[in-house]
Amino acid sequence: MIGVALNAVGIVVGGIAGLTKNKSLTPANESFFKVAMGAAAVFIGLQLVWQNLNGSFGTVLKQLFIVLLALGLGRFVGHLLHLQKFSNSIGRYATSKMAAAKMRGQNFNDGFLVCASLSCANPLAIYAALQEGLSPNGFAPAFVIKAVMDGLAAMVFVRLFGSGVILSALPVVAFLGTIFLAAKSLRPFLHQHGLVDSILATDGFLIFCVALIILNLKKIELADYVPSLAIAPVITWFWK
């Protein structure tokens, strides 16, 4: 759970930095972090796809088709389940609490809930935790992006809500740790039946899509694609 711990550290460090520093990030620094996170997401996502599409040319084409089919079906299922709408509702909740904090002042509970819900609702959290649980080395580089993203958010939130933002690292660890442990427990079965590669390749495509959003290149409803990670191994299982 190195990546999960790193995510928590990012929140804590960002929160402490927000409490101790009066100045916000300059536009130049914000632009730097944005480009750096986008470039990292491109590299990590495409590398994950490359590592998990293997075999002969025909086999790679088959695996690629499975991934694209899983993404299409996953988006359809996610849309039926209103996953993106649910994610958007959390964003609206956070926006309303931020507006209230500007008027009424700091609120410990609101800071705790807003930061924890936004961090857990971020689809990258699921993608990174799943990658970490299924990867043989037990670490997901996507968590570096997630830690920086949450750390920067914590710097902003802690000025609005106070120290409750720092404690939000605890439910984040609990949520992501649960996903990690579930994926790790399923890994022997998935590996035995050759299903890990399709999941991680799909995960890589979705992490790449995160880069498109960070860099404002394309608006993608990422939450709707989460079911793709469960559909990919099912398609692989029946298409051997």
Side-chain angles (χ1 to χ4, degrees):
M1 290 177 60
I2 298 173
V4 176
L6 181 63
N7 195 165
V9 170
I11 295 174
V12 173
V13 171
I16 294 174
L19 288 174
T20 56
K21 292 185 177 181
N22 294 325
K23 294 183 179 180
S24 301
L25 290 177
T26 64
N29 288 333
E30 290 180 1
S31 178
F32 167 78
F33 280 113
K34 183 177 179 179
V35 172
M37 288 190 295
V42 169
F43 176 77
I44 293 170
L46 293 182
Q47 182 186 49
L48 194 58
V49 174
W50 176 264
Q51 291 174 342
N52 292 280
L53 294 180
N54 44 62
S56 64
F57 180 73
T59 302
V60 169
L61 285 180
K62 174 184 173 182
Q63 292 172 333
L64 184 59
F65 180 78
I66 288 174
V67 170
L68 295 177
L69 180 59
L71 289 171
L73 293 175
R75 184 181 185 281
F76 176 73
V77 173
H79 184 71
L80 290 179
L81 296 175
H82 304 293
L83 296 183
Q84 188 62 46
K85 288 185 177 180
F86 174 71
S87 180
N88 292 343
S89 68
I90 294 176
R92 290 192 296 270
Y93 164 79
T95 301
S96 66
K97 291 298 182 181
M98 290 173 68
K102 291 178 181 178
M103 295 178 61
R104 299 197 307 261
Q106 294 183 353
N107 184 295
F108 183 94
N109 291 335
D110 285 348
F112 177 81
L113 292 174
V114 167
C115 195
S117 59
L118 286 179
S119 182
C120 293
N122 186 343
L124 182 59
I126 298 173
Y127 304 153
L130 186 66
Q131 180 191 356
E132 184 150 294
L134 295 180
S135 296
N137 60 6
F139 174 68
F143 265 122
V144 176
I145 305 171
K146 182 71 166 48
V148 174
M149 191 180 296
D150 286 355
L152 294 175
M155 287 181 63
V156 176
F157 291 146
V158 78
R159 294 191 180 102
L160 284 172
F161 300 110
S163 58
V165 169
I166 298 175
L167 287 182
S168 68
L170 296 177
V172 170
V173 169
F175 176 71
L176 299 183
T178 300
I179 298 175
F180 165 80
L181 292 174
K184 186 177 181 180
S185 65
L186 289 173
R187 188 179 186 278
F189 171 82
L190 296 172
H191 180 73
Q192 179 183 357
H193 295 282
L195 304 177
V196 174
D197 288 350
S198 63
I199 300 174
L200 290 180
T202 304
D203 200 38
F205 267 103
L206 292 172
I207 292 173
F208 172 76
C209 290
V210 172
L212 301 181
I213 296 176
I214 293 175
L215 298 173
N216 293 326
L217 296 177
K218 187 174 179 60
K219 185 178 179 180
I220 302 173
E221 297 179 335
L222 273 180
D224 280 348
Y225 285 93
V226 171
S228 304
L229 299 169
I231 293 174
V234 174
I235 298 174
T236 306
W237 176 276
F238 287 104
W239 191 7
K240 291 184 178 181

